[in-house]
Amino acid sequence: MATTYFSKRNLHFLLHEVFKAEELTKYDYFSAHDRETFNLVLDSATYIADTLIHPYLKEVDKNQPELTNGQVTVHPKVKEFMKAMGEAGLIGAGFSFDQGGQQLPQMISSCVGFILMAANNGMMYTGLSTGAAHLITSFGSPELNEFYVPNMLAGNWQGTMALTEPQAGSSLSDVTTSATPLPDGTYKIKGQKVFISAGDHDAADNIIHLMLARIDGAPKGTKGISLFVVPKYRPAVDGVSNHSSFIDNDVQSTGIYHKLGQKGVPALHLTMGSDDNTIGYLVGEPNKGLSYMFQMMNEARIGVGMTAAAIATAAYYSALQYAKERPQSRRLNEKNLLDAPQTPIINHPDVRRMLLFQKAITEGSLSLLIEAARLYDISRVAEGEEKENAFLLLDLLMPVAKSYPSEMGVQSVSQSVQTFGGYGFTEDFPVEQLYRDIRITPIYEGTTGIQAQDLLGRKMTMKGGKAPQLLFAEISRAITEASTFDDLKPYADQLGEELKRTQDVVMSLMPHAMKGDTERYLADATLFLEMFGIVVVAWQWLKQALVAKQTLLTQNPQGDDLAFYEGKIHTMKFFYHYEVPKTLGLAVRLKDTEVLTIVSEKELAL
Amino acid sequence: MATTYFSKRNLHFLLHEVFKAEELTKYDYFSAHDRETFNLVLDSATYIADTLIHPYLKEVDKNQPELTNGQVTVHPKVKEFMKAMGEAGLIGAGFSFDQGGQQLPQMISSCVGFILMAANNGMMYTGLSTGAAHLITSFGSPELNEFYVPNMLAGNWQGTMALTEPQAGSSLSDVTTSATPLPDGTYKIKGQKVFISAGDHDAADNIIHLMLARIDGAPKGTKGISLFVVPKYRPAVDGVSNHSSFIDNDVQSTGIYHKLGQKGVPALHLTMGSDDNTIGYLVGEPNKGLSYMFQMMNEARIGVGMTAAAIATAAYYSALQYAKERPQSRRLNEKNLLDAPQTPIINHPDVRRMLLFQKAITEGSLSLLIEAARLYDISRVAEGEEKENAFLLLDLLMPVAKSYPSEMGVQSVSQSVQTFGGYGFTEDFPVEQLYRDIRITPIYEGTTGIQAQDLLGRKMTMKGGKAPQLLFAEISRAITEASTFDDLKPYADQLGEELKRTQDVVMSLMPHAMKGDTERYLADATLFLEMFGIVVVAWQWLKQALVAKQTLLTQNPQGDDLAFYEGKIHTMKFFYHYEVPKTLGLAVRLKDTEVLTIVSEKELAL
């Protein structure tokens, strides 16, 4: 591979040393696996990333898909990539053996996503197929499963999530796409969807939309929304069972978005039923569509977080390489040595600060996401209290694991651009593209504002606040463990203070929730999400530093290994000294009684 | 004008009510002017902005200049725009009457820049000509003045600043372009320059580079750099005095940069002397080039700050309009009213918070920049202590007035994008372009890191720290005045606390400077710049709120005026409640004794 876009060493450290992925194999469902099979899957993903997508990072950005005469054409490599992913079993890696999958934990399959998205986040086709197929395997009939899933997992057919409508962006309760029952049990679909990623293209033989629509006469709001499979081409005869011939299903691409980034994948405006000839196949029961979608939401949001962490990681390695190679000026204490050669910019403290910031954000984000994936796995395969607790913790962490990598990833890539100076603004290096690409992540799958409302409005209070109790107990465990090491103790103590500060803020907000004044309670929810994110990632850094410290003491590593573990402890310290103090200001605002988000339009406009 | 991209009301408020621009007319130099002539100039700029550049905002972005066979072609409107600006006297607005200018204050001419850059920041051609021509009028011979300046101010010829070289980005002491004296007093120039904005294009009949080069045998470092006029076409005969025929001066466009944003203006790689036939004309004395450049630096940096504030302002008005028009979901306290129509998103507290953030950043930035321009004017035309104090204050504020609007402007436009949700990521609205455009501003004219070193390493300590003393006295004056109003007093008190906190931080850093450990002293200079910026902009907001308060009390404004002044006070409060607390975390880090920017390359890389 020509350039470094992620650290295999760090991925293995997190998976195996910090989160001990292999422990999952004690559960029956994962028992066919061991560390070796996990690593083989990651290596196979790396090979595909290196050979089939990373070399085309710029090319897919430069040649964005166009819609011509109703047809969307994408880069020729997309087809090859989808097939290779299918053949390597990576589209359905997390699916069960009898669904044609590899029965791998989410911990591993989401790291596959991390590697691919670090290589070229414009090639997000297969991740979309995974999510769509997973909805069918989870809630669809055996017929739908048999007919659609194998071709999706093989990389022949593209899956999509078709939720958003022009008049109802984030407000899914206002979905109006209609589904009229037909005598044969299928439905006639009519409506429009917008921003459908990979919603049509010529690298797949068929496009399978998992689409939300409202069956005629269904209740208003979220309780009247159903989920359908709506293919681009439907079987010509005999319901869904016949693969011998297909006809056009009247799903028309009526617009393509030209975007700031992620130009490798088309985003479509789709119109169903303009010739009154779109058929949809109900997934599961009527009116349960949104609840099905929400059961997939954690998976989808881990995916967005991983994409953000991946893009920021690729940008970091690009900036690091430049900083090591680019000579500029002299060291600050040697300014007057004009005869001395210029020094690489990595020797300037401000550049090193920018690099450490990027390392702290990206590795902290990845750690949190692997933690979330691990909880996702346990919530699926464990039993009883263990299962329930994992689920609660995952639900609580999810808005953070989606938003922190996205919001801070945007800032991290901005610092990658800054590291390059003027060259960062040019197309000579990949960071300008990554800066554009990552900007979608705070918007995808629920904007940061929506994640914040989810965290404070739902997750903090569900089941009488049990989730935050569980989290604080987990964090306290890390604090206790870290406190036994002299040089980690100050940071463990600091994290303890942060926990107290967070509880303090929650206590000061709760009265508004009690009174039912949701608007006031959630007015600064985004700031709470930011603060909570810092505390949670501080916990992740303490966990990483703890493992590094233990390894340094017990295994006496040398050379690169020594530098790796010392680098982990150093970066943890950086996070605590530079990032954690940001909670001070946030807490002041969050406990503040002055409401400022009530203001007239005129006051804003003039 | 079809869309709002800046607020005339706000510009007039700042210029006339807060900063009382007309008071400048008491100085002889500006005595030909009054409020009317100031406003006429702004109106004339607005007319040009509305008709000649704003309509082409997207077009110049979509059709970026290309270099073909050594020729750079730009949008046909560029020529028309340059001519119109010349005819309106706006390129040389700040030049003296006998230089063919309007002898206008920088306060006004930099607001002309603000209006133009808010309309279309890709059309930055004329601002570059102003800066280049100003170098000639300030330091060049009468011959150079007569020959070059009139055509530059008329918009026939393009001026550029040609500083940066491939091997010496920010490190001007490493400039290697050579100048060999010829018997006729001219110089033969050889070398390369990179990132030269408007460095070649077909909308101007000639390109006049103000170029740094090193005369053969000159001292090393910054003390051996001279300034030259290097035209694209030079007079064929008789030095600089003959306009009858021109020959090619061997300044070749050997590369064009494709950029993230500001695509309307080409950035060139120029090669001088490949045919050994580039002639340069010395400006002023040998070896004083860099000191001449630095005398123009404040003007250039005000320009960059204005560009950033302008772009962020345009994005804010775009986001505000969308938020008023886009219905989405129901108010948080009415979530269950499914029959109710969706509410415009401006009614969601999180959206209002994002809009107030944008308003607070953009109007705070513009206020600071007009303050800087006012000090620039006074430092030029006043006498004695008044002149010296204005100069010191300007010098101190300059790194902040360049960086704060740039750094926070990037974040502000990011919030504009976020206000649009998914649509913000598409080319359907201008914010994606503005998000790309503004990213250059923390890099232009000295990166944020360099501004931070300038602030802490030079400006805070020069003349025994007299500049910060003057600033703190100014701020204390505003505090005292605001304290007389009950509802402003808490904010005045808060600003007083911030002043103490800032002094505290400075005291804790000084010992490193005393010991000569510059690397340690400046390790977190960027954080100090950030903190200092918040305090300075908090001062600007207090000044604005004070004028608003006084006006509300004395003039009993109604309707739009009432909303305007109340909006000012509201936004001031927003800044104090949401932005000012950020200094808490910054101060903690700045007073922290743990040095973390010393780390091995390996620790960063693995």
Side-chain angles (χ1 to χ4, degrees), chain B residues 258-333:
Chain B
H258 289 137
K259 298 175 292 177
L260 174 60
Q262 285 208 329
K263 296 190 184 197
V265 66
L268 275 298
H269 184 137
L270 300 177
T271 304
M272 280 65 66
S274 27
D275 294 338
D276 201 30
N277 191 19
T278 306
I279 299 297
Y281 308 92
L282 184 66
V283 177
E285 293 175 40
N287 300 334
K288 295 211 167 164
L290 214 58
S291 83
Y292 296 157
M293 271 297 173
F294 271 97
Q295 287 176 63
M296 295 294 127
M297 216 43 113
N298 285 338
E299 197 180 326
R301 287 175 176 168
I302 290 174
V304 175
M306 277 292 182
T307 301
I311 297 171
T313 298
Y316 167 56
Y317 283 104
S318 185
L320 179 62
Q321 185 181 338
Y322 184 79
K324 288 196 285 190
E325 290 171 0
R326 169 75 173 167
Q328 193 79 129
S329 199
R330 276 132 213 105
R331 297 185 69 134
L332 284 170
N333 285 352

Side-chain angles (χ1 to χ4, degrees), chain B residues 272-561:
Chain B
M272 280 65 66
S274 27
D275 294 338
D276 201 30
N277 191 19
T278 306
I279 299 297
Y281 308 92
L282 184 66
V283 177
E285 293 175 40
N287 300 334
K288 295 211 167 164
L290 214 58
S291 83
Y292 296 157
M293 271 297 173
F294 271 97
Q295 287 176 63
M296 295 294 127
M297 216 43 113
N298 285 338
E299 197 180 326
R301 287 175 176 168
I302 290 174
V304 175
M306 277 292 182
T307 301
I311 297 171
T313 298
Y316 167 56
Y317 283 104
S318 185
L320 179 62
Q321 185 181 338
Y322 184 79
K324 288 196 285 190
E325 290 171 0
R326 169 75 173 167
Q328 193 79 129
S329 199
R330 276 132 213 105
R331 297 185 69 134
L332 284 170
N333 285 352
E334 298 166 356
K335 268 282 184 197
N336 299 320
L337 302 178
L338 296 179
D339 283 325
Q342 299 193 76
T343 192
I345 61 171
I346 198 170
N347 290 325
H348 299 311
D350 195 53
V351 171
R352 255 176 295 165
R353 184 190 54 77
M354 290 195 284
L355 292 169
L356 279 162
F357 172 78
Q358 295 162 56
K359 185 174 162 75
I361 298 305
T362 53
E363 294 179 9
S365 295
L366 182 58
S367 181
L368 172 59
L369 284 156
I370 295 177
E371 174 95 69
R374 192 183 64 87
L375 291 166
Y376 177 94
D377 288 323
I378 295 175
S379 75
R380 277 174 72 202
V381 299
E383 302 288 341
E385 201 185 356
E386 187 186 17
K387 184 189 188 79
E388 195 202 347
N389 288 354
F391 198 78
L392 281 170
L393 262 177
L394 172 66
D395 252 15
L396 177 66
L397 287 177
M398 214 44 252
V400 186
K402 192 262 159 179
S403 304
Y404 186 93
S406 306
E407 289 285 342
M408 294 308 294
V410 168
Q411 292 195 39
S412 183
V413 180
S414 185
Q415 292 301 291
S416 309
V417 170
Q418 193 73 11
T419 307
F420 279 86
Y423 287 102
F425 198 67
T426 72
E427 294 178 3
D428 298 9
F429 294 95
V431 286
E432 70 84 23
Q433 179 183 340
L434 300 174
Y435 183 68
R436 290 184 283 108
D437 288 345
I438 198 173
R439 187 58 189 81
I440 189 61
T441 60
I443 297 170
Y444 268 157
E445 295 295 342
T447 62
T448 300
I450 286 171
Q451 301 299 326
Q453 289 177 25
D454 182 44
L455 175 65
L456 193 59
R458 192 176 314 142
K459 306 299 178 59
M460 289 299 289
T461 52
M462 62 185 182
K463 305 218 169 181
K466 189 170 177 201
Q469 278 168 33
L470 287 168
L471 177 66
F472 290 1
E474 278 288 308
I475 296 180
S476 299
R477 212 155 53 85
I479 290 173
T480 307
E481 227 179 318
S483 298
T484 60
F485 299 94
D486 281 354
D487 47 348
L488 299 188
K489 187 164 188 312
Y491 302 98
D493 291 349
Q494 196 181 342
L495 185 55
E497 290 301 316
E498 294 304 326
L499 274 193
K500 279 191 211 132
R501 199 189 321 282
T502 308
Q503 284 162 322
D504 211 27
V505 164
V506 172
M507 294 309 287
S508 77
L509 290 171
M510 274 307 153
H512 305 299
M514 306 286 195
K515 272 186 292 190
D517 187 355
T518 314
E519 199 156 310
R520 172 67 187 88
Y521 177 55
L522 297 180
D524 289 333
T526 300
L527 275 73
F528 180 75
L529 174 65
E530 187 181 344
M531 179 179 177
F532 199 75
I534 295 169
V535 176
V536 163
V537 175
W539 163 52
Q540 290 301 312
W541 269 112
L542 195 65
K543 287 176 75 159
Q544 292 187 60
L546 189 58
V547 172
K549 186 76 203 168
Q550 287 163 333
T551 310
L552 283 168
L553 288 174
T554 58
Q555 296 181 22
N556 192 26
Q558 301 296 318
D560 281 0
D561 268 345

Side-chain angles (χ1 to χ4, degrees), chain B residues 550-597:
Chain B
Q550 287 163 333
T551 310
L552 283 168
L553 288 174
T554 58
Q555 296 181 22
N556 192 26
Q558 301 296 318
D560 281 0
D561 268 345
L562 177 63
F564 177 82
Y565 293 111
E566 285 183 340
K568 279 290 175 192
I569 292 174
H570 193 96
T571 312
M572 176 279 287
K573 289 183 182 175
F574 182 90
F575 193 88
Y576 276 78
H577 286 273
Y578 285 80
E579 292 301 303
V580 174
K582 291 179 179 172
T583 61
L584 290 170
L586 291 164
V588 164
R589 170 57 208 158
L590 284 160
K591 291 166 69 180
D592 190 337
T593 54
E594 178 108 15
V595 178
L596 287 158
T597 46

Side-chain angles (χ1 to χ4, degrees), chain A residues 54-91:
Chain A
H54 189 57
Y56 306 96
L57 175 65
K58 191 163 177 178
E59 216 172 291
V60 299
D61 179 67
K62 278 290 166 200
N63 302 282
Q64 61 180 335
E66 294 293 347
L67 171 66
T68 318
N69 302 324
Q71 297 296 319
V72 180
T73 313
V74 294
H75 194 282
K77 278 288 159 185
V78 176
K79 196 177 185 82
E80 205 179 321
F81 167 64
M82 286 178 65
K83 292 294 255 182
M85 286 289 287
E87 276 161 26
L90 292 176
I91 303 179

Side-chain angles (χ1 to χ4, degrees), chain A residues 194-237:
Chain A
V194 293
F195 299 136
I196 308 307
S197 294
D200 193 16
H201 62 89
D202 61 344
D205 299 332
N206 202 356
I207 313 280
I208 315 306
H209 304 287
L210 275 287
M211 190 177 288
L212 294 182
R214 203 177 279 283
I215 296 173
D216 296 351
K220 292 198 182 245
T222 53
K223 292 190 176 110
I225 294 170
S226 303
L227 179 65
F228 295 87
V229 164
V230 180
K232 179 179 179 183
Y233 300 110
R234 69 176 193 253
V237 287

Side-chain angles (χ1 to χ4, degrees), chain A residues 166 169 174 258 260 316 328 330 339 350 352 414 425 427 439 524 526 570 577-578 592 596-597 604, chain B residues 166 169 174 220 258 260 316 326 328 330 350 352 414 425 427 439 524 526 570 577-578 592 596-597 604:
Chain A
D174 293 296
H258 288 138
L260 175 60
Y316 167 55
Q328 193 80 130
R330 277 132 212 106
D339 283 327
D350 194 54
R352 256 177 294 167
S414 186
F425 198 67
E427 294 178 2
R439 187 61 190 78
D524 288 334
T526 300
H570 193 95
H577 285 273
Y578 285 80
D592 190 337
L596 288 158
T597 46
L604 283 168
Chain B
D174 293 296
K220 290 199 183 244
H258 289 137
L260 174 60
Y316 167 56
R326 169 75 173 167
Q328 193 79 129
R330 276 132 213 105
D350 195 53
R352 255 176 295 165
S414 185
F425 198 67
E427 294 178 3
R439 187 58 189 81
D524 289 333
T526 300
H570 193 96
H577 286 273
Y578 285 80
D592 190 337
L596 287 158
T597 46
L604 283 169

Side-chain angles (χ1 to χ4, degrees), chain A residues 292-369:
Chain A
Y292 297 157
M293 270 299 173
F294 271 98
Q295 287 177 61
M296 295 294 127
M297 216 44 113
N298 285 337
E299 199 180 323
R301 288 175 176 169
I302 290 174
V304 175
M306 276 293 181
T307 301
I311 297 171
T313 299
Y316 167 55
Y317 282 105
S318 185
L320 179 62
Q321 186 182 337
Y322 185 78
K324 289 197 284 190
E325 291 171 359
R326 169 75 173 168
Q328 193 80 130
S329 198
R330 277 132 212 106
R331 297 187 68 137
L332 284 170
N333 286 351
E334 298 167 357
K335 270 283 185 196
N336 299 321
L337 302 178
L338 295 178
D339 283 327
Q342 298 192 78
T343 192
I345 60 170
I346 198 169
N347 290 327
H348 299 311
D350 194 54
V351 172
R352 256 177 294 167
R353 184 190 54 77
M354 291 196 283
L355 292 169
L356 279 162
F357 172 77
Q358 295 164 55
K359 185 174 162 77
I361 297 307
T362 53
E363 295 180 8
S365 295
L366 183 58
S367 181
L368 172 60
L369 284 156

